[in-house]
Every structure is written in structure tokens, then in C-alpha cells.
Amino acid sequence: EKLKQSLSKTRNIFTNKLDSAFSKEEKIDNNFYDELEELLILADVGINCSEEIIEKLKENVKNKKLKFKPQAKEELLKIVENILNGDSSLNLNSTPSIIIMLGVNGVGKTTTIAKLAYMLKNQGKSVIIGAADTFRAAAIDQLEIWAKKINCQIVKHKEGSDPAAVVFDTIAACKKRKSVAICDTAGRLHTKTNLMNELNKMVRIIEKEGAGMPKEILLTIDATTGQNGLVQAERFKESTKITGTILTKLDGTAKGGIVIPIKKQLNIPIKFIGTGEQLDCIQPFDANMFTKALFNM
């Protein structure tokens, strides 16, 4: 229900029109496919991805000898779900382990860190937050407030200090306490080479000091940014090996379809989605559940 509510803006524009397209007991024709493609683009699925989905739908309709529009809806759902399927679990099967959080400023990364920490604490895990975004003083302060609220340890240095040093100390504390460490990083713009280089330095320290530890490198993407979020993801993927994405602010956008090209074009699993502003408003991504909520099934 929470997922359906978070996708309500998308459904109001996209799904209602989609239902209208499928509801008429009319024969499938080229105009029908054109209408579907326009609706997919409207939901920010993207031109290339929308074209591929429609081509696959045409193929399935032909192979199964489907004649009428309502029959094609189930096929469309299967195609979308198949695109979204993937390993959405957090692969942190032992402790100590570490999560590195990436994302540009304003995507909801700090709040997402708090939500993940809260979720892991509720699972009985010890959690340490590493405040490695030392470029923005507010980021350290915000994480400290969240850490106190959730009752978990925070590792921090002064504003402007070396982020890699924070990561180093966070890993040391994580090993000592056999905890899950969640490390923040600067809200670096994907066009700033020096900040990307600094990210790579942090990853090298993690690989060295955290050798053998389970790791996740998660990119936070603001769903309201649409195709720009896809561009951000492409740039980050060029710089480091991302193991998953977290989509935030789905409840604030009519373009929830951006989930589809992010998974299809980047082939990066979607691990979590944010469904609101409260600490418990985060849930593991489920392709079947998401597809049903998107298509109002």
C-alpha cells in the first residue's frame, strides 16, 4: 500500500491513460503501439527503452497470436518485470561489512543513510555511520543528529579534513565492533573530476583496509530528476563499480518510470526505494511488487 501511494502521481498521469488504452475491446493496430510508446516516454521511461519495450511487445503479441488490446496488458507487465528483475538484496551476509553511499547533493542521501541504519538496527545489527562528506559541514551535523536519534555510533572529523581518513577510521571501528559501516561521501557532481578522483581514493582504502569484508557501493538517485538521474548514474558507473541503486522521492514525481531505464541501460540492480520521509519509509525493491503498483494491478 505504501508503494502504491508513493507511485500515485505517476499513476494519475501514466497508469490511468494506460488503462484507457487497454480497456477498449478493439483490435491491436499500429496506432495502439504508438499510443503506448508515447505513454511510456511520458512516464520518463526514455525513448530508446520505450522503443525496445514496444518492439518486444509486438513480438510477443505476434508469437502468441493475440488480437485484442486487453490481452496485451499482461504481456507489457511481464516485459517490464523482466527488465526490473535482479539481485535486489544487500549482500552483507557477515560482519564487519561496509556500505558506501554515493550521490549528488539534494538527492536525499543523508536521510537514506539514516533509513538504512534504522532498518539494519531493527534487524539486530550494530551500525556505525562514517561522516566522510567533509566538504559540507551541514552533512556532518545532519548525520550526527540522525545517529543520536537512531542510537548508533558516528565517526567524524572536522569540516575540510581528508574524507579518506574518515573512511579509514570508520573501517577500523567497524572491524573492532563487528558492525555494518555506512559511509557517506561528498555530494560530488559527476562532472567534477577532482571529486571523482577523491572517491576513487576512498574506494582504494576500502579495498585495502576492508579486504575480505562484504561491501556494497550504492548510488542514491532522486526520481524527480528523471533522465538527469540516469546521466548521473552513467557518470558514477564510469568512475567506480556501483553494486546497486536506491531511488528516492518516488512519492514526489509523476515520472516513476525512470526506474526502468536505470535498470535496463545501466544493468545495475535497484536495491531500495524511498516511499516517504519517515525513517521506516524505505523498502527493498521487488520487481513484481513494483510493476503491479506501477500498473495499478
Side-chain angles (χ1 to χ4, degrees), residues 265-281:
Q265 292 175 223
L266 300 175
N267 197 28
I268 301 172
I270 301 160
K271 300 279 186 174
F272 293 93
I273 52 175
T275 55
E277 296 180 2
Q278 303 304 314
L279 277 173
D280 61 350
C281 291

Side-chain angles (χ1 to χ4, degrees), residues 80-91 243-244 263-264 267-272 284-288 291:
V80 171
E81 183 180 343
N82 188 53
I83 290 170
L84 294 175
N85 272 327
D87 181 13
S88 59
S89 58
L90 272 183
N91 296 307
T243 59
K263 174 62 173 64
K264 182 169 178 57
N267 197 28
I268 301 172
I270 301 160
K271 300 279 186 174
F272 293 93
F285 183 77
D286 182 293
N288 179 264
T291 305

Side-chain angles (χ1 to χ4, degrees), residues 19-231:
D19 287 343
S20 177
F22 281 109
S23 64
K24 299 170 186 174
E25 284 286 347
E26 297 174 347
K27 285 194 173 182
I28 297 168
D29 57 17
N30 287 333
N31 289 334
F32 170 70
Y33 289 123
D34 290 342
E35 185 180 359
L36 285 187
E37 187 172 331
E38 286 178 13
L39 289 173
L40 290 171
I41 294 170
L42 185 66
D44 231 7
V45 175
I47 295 173
N48 293 337
C49 194
S50 297
E51 287 177 350
E52 288 182 38
I53 289 172
I54 295 302
E55 286 306 310
K56 182 64 177 175
L57 180 61
K58 287 180 179 179
E59 181 184 327
N60 290 5
V61 166
K62 182 180 179 181
N63 291 341
K64 296 184 179 183
K65 296 181 171 57
L66 304 180
K67 299 292 183 184
F68 297 97
K69 292 178 181 180
Q71 295 174 305
K73 186 172 184 178
E74 192 65 33
E75 292 304 316
L76 181 61
L77 264 68
K78 288 177 184 176
I79 292 166
V80 171
E81 183 180 343
N82 188 53
I83 290 170
L84 294 175
N85 272 327
D87 181 13
S88 59
S89 58
L90 272 183
N91 296 307
L92 306 175
N93 47 14
S94 63
T95 53
S97 52
I98 187 164
I99 300 171
I100 302 298
M101 297 292 289
L102 312 178
V104 302
N105 288 333
V107 296
K109 179 161 54 74
T110 306
T111 308
T112 301
I113 290 170
K115 289 178 179 180
L116 283 176
Y118 181 75
M119 181 191 74
L120 292 169
K121 285 270 291 182
N122 285 341
Q123 293 173 2
K125 294 181 172 64
S126 170
V127 180
I128 295 174
I129 296 175
D133 182 358
T134 59
F135 289 94
R136 191 170 67 93
I140 300 172
D141 295 340
Q142 286 167 358
L143 280 179
E144 191 164 25
I145 291 168
W146 281 120
K148 286 178 181 177
K149 189 171 184 178
I150 301 165
N151 191 28
C152 66
Q153 183 182 343
I154 184 169
V155 176
K156 63 172 186 170
H157 289 189
K158 292 181 179 179
E159 178 189 357
S161 57
D162 184 1
V166 180
V167 171
F168 184 93
D169 288 349
T170 303
I171 293 174
C174 170
K175 287 178 179 177
K176 186 176 181 180
R177 291 186 56 184
K178 288 185 167 46
S179 301
V180 179
I182 307 177
C183 275
D184 191 14
T185 58
R188 50 184 54 75
L189 292 170
H190 47 279
T191 52
K192 292 192 175 180
T193 305
N194 58 327
L195 288 174
M196 283 298 188
N197 290 339
E198 178 250 309
L199 169 62
N200 289 331
K201 179 183 175 183
M202 292 168 65
V203 171
R204 287 195 299 272
I205 287 175
I206 292 163
E207 293 297 333
K208 181 181 177 182
E209 300 301 323
M213 289 169 54
K215 304 173 190 70
E216 288 277 5
I217 301 177
L218 304 179
L219 175 64
T220 308
I221 299 174
D222 179 350
T224 65
T225 61
Q227 292 295 311
N228 190 45
L230 182 61
V231 173

